Amino acid sequence: MKKVWIGLLSLVVLAGLLTTTSFTRDARVEAAAPSFKDVTGHWAQSSINTAAQAGILNGYPDGTFKPEGTITRSEMLKVMALTAHIEVGPAAAGKPWYTPFQAALTDAKVYAAGDFSGDINKPATRLELAKLSMRVAKADYRGKKLSNDELLFRAVNAGLLSRTGAKAETIEPNGTTTRAQAAVLVTRLLKLEKGEKLAVDQGASSAAEIAWHQHNMITMFDQDDLVKFPYSIDINSKYRVSIEQLTILDPLDKKGFFSEYLEGADYYGDANPETGYVFAYKLKGESLLNSTGESQVIKSSFYMYTEASKGIVQVSEKFSYPDGQLIDRNGIYENRKVLDLSKKGNVGYNYYLPFVSKQYIKEQIKQYGGISIHLEKFGGSFGDKKYQIYLTDVKDIWFKK
């Protein structure tokens, strides 16, 4: 069958062409090296040229590409079909030009009902981009019912998407997608098709993973056997603590998620920012009884047990609050106040920041096949099983004693 290619033209041109043209798995053909008037020096110039030469995206009749222009949901359907070599039939008379692409992607389980939440001719969001691209990239995700948060994380963790600003959390799932961003995504998918490995924005991956399920163990250690957060622990009959979130930070990664909250931090004991990770436990403490005259230091509810030397991290003064409140704040912080247990239902927030060496992590993975996150409640005898808590399926030596 004759090979054909139509790039992203205006909707008027596309509508006319697509009513009579069918696309096969061979529909994507190489084009001549492009020469767009408005991409020289653009941050996505190389990707734009690659996607255009691959026959997936092209420019406008005036010789421009309009890299900062948005790409619509309907156009994204066509782009994904061409990138994935999915066979597309001709448009039926009287039907919109994009319906064959939507039908073909639906049959291939790349597109699912509900993927687009709005007018299909409006700009595609980055979340919608993540959904389609993840299913194009990995067949295992086709037809699976995953939450939007998980699909966004999987796309970032696979290297398909990355941050849009300086901070790791600037993933902008609801932000619109530009033509330049679409070209970058196409280029990354083409690399995967060739068996190449994509670079992963680790900070953005952590941010997306935490938004999904409140920890970043997959991003940092490729491990996903944690309990579901928030996770509540009764320390005693009077006091309960909930682990709301666990963020593992590498102090050497200045572009990592929450990295700014370690600026100026103090490291005590065997903690050394050059050699390990900070395990940042976000805690919520709650009084269970009316216990007049009693109080609780929230960050001292438990300690993280390791079979090696350990240390502790203290955030700088600018993230340490002596204002007499135990409220939840942005980022990582220390609330310099104890929780009053005199009234049932009193609550407060704080962070516990133990330090774990990278060498110890390596040894754990070698010995146990993963990292054992082992906590010990304060107030009990060391090694007593009723005071031990494991947040992971992986267990250390004390579990067997």
Side-chain angles (χ1 to χ4, degrees), residues 49-341:
N49 290 340
T50 297
Q53 195 162 8
I56 298 171
L57 288 164
N58 80 335
Y60 292 85
D62 63 358
T64 65
F65 183 80
K66 295 181 174 46
E68 300 309 314
T70 55
I71 186 168
T72 67
R73 294 166 175 140
S74 53
E75 290 170 330
M76 184 53 64
L77 292 172
K78 174 180 170 293
V79 168
M80 290 294 105
L82 287 177
T83 304
H85 302 277
I86 292 173
E87 188 170 335
V88 180
K95 294 289 185 180
W97 69 266
Y98 57 79
T99 52
F101 296 96
Q102 190 173 32
L105 290 175
T106 300
D107 290 343
K109 300 186 184 302
V110 171
Y111 174 81
D115 276 350
F116 294 157
S117 56
D119 187 341
I120 199 166
N121 290 313
K122 294 293 185 182
T125 67
R126 285 171 57 77
L127 172 60
E128 291 161 351
L129 200 70
K131 292 177 183 180
L132 298 184
S133 63
M134 197 62 217
R135 298 184 194 125
V136 167
K138 296 191 177 183
D140 290 348
Y141 288 91
R142 297 181 187 181
K144 289 183 69 173
K145 290 186 177 180
L146 302 176
S147 69
N148 288 343
D149 285 340
E150 181 174 358
L151 276 169
L152 183 64
F153 161 67
R154 297 297 180 186
V156 178
N157 188 245
L160 294 173
L161 297 183
S162 53
R163 73 187 76 188
T164 58
K167 288 191 175 183
E169 58 266 36
T170 54
I171 309 168
E172 297 186 297
N174 296 317
T176 55
T177 303
T178 67
R179 286 167 55 81
Q181 289 170 339
V184 170
L185 177 64
V186 166
T187 302
R188 290 172 179 174
L189 288 170
L190 294 177
K191 286 181 178 180
L192 286 179
E193 183 181 66
K194 295 175 183 177
E196 297 180 29
K197 188 175 178 63
L198 299 180
V200 176
D201 183 338
Q202 190 176 75
S205 180
S206 286
E209 185 178 358
I210 288 166
W212 167 36
H213 60 184
Q214 307 306 314
H215 69 72
N216 63 334
M217 285 283 287
I218 301 174
T219 297
M220 299 302 289
F221 308 123
D222 196 24
Q223 184 172 333
D224 188 21
D225 62 341
L226 270 71
V227 297
K228 184 178 179 180
F229 292 144
Y231 181 72
S232 294
I233 305 163
D234 285 351
I235 302 300
N236 51 49
S237 62
K238 304 172 184 177
Y239 172 69
R240 173 181 297 147
V241 67
S242 245
I243 301 174
E244 303 285 291
Q245 183 173 296
L246 172 59
T247 307
I248 295 95
L249 302 100
D250 184 346
L252 297 182
D253 184 2
K254 301 306 180 184
K255 292 186 177 181
F257 179 66
F258 274 3
S259 60
E260 64 268 35
Y261 296 101
L262 291 185
E263 293 175 5
D266 293 316
Y267 292 76
Y268 298 101
D270 291 312
N272 182 336
E274 301 290 322
T275 62
Y277 299 103
V278 178
F279 278 60
Y281 293 88
K282 181 181 179 181
L283 307 178
K284 176 184 177 182
E286 179 184 1
S287 174
L288 300 177
L289 299 170
N290 295 329
S291 304
T292 304
E294 295 193 44
S295 60
Q296 172 71 42
V297 178
I298 295 174
K299 67 178 184 177
S300 296
S301 301
F302 57 80
Y303 69 93
M304 183 176 175
Y305 173 78
T306 66
E307 299 169 38
S309 57
K310 56 184 73 72
I312 201 78
V313 179
Q314 176 74 50
V315 294
S316 71
E317 285 295 315
K318 66 180 177 178
F319 303 123
S320 183
Y321 299 91
D323 58 9
Q325 299 186 74
L326 282 170
I327 60 174
D328 189 10
R329 307 175 192 267
N330 292 328
I332 297 174
Y333 51 82
E334 180 188 10
N335 287 323
R336 285 156 56 180
K337 176 179 169 57
V338 297
L339 176 64
D340 179 10
L341 299 182

Side-chain angles (χ1 to χ4, degrees), residues 11 315 353:
L11 286 178
V315 294
L353 305 174

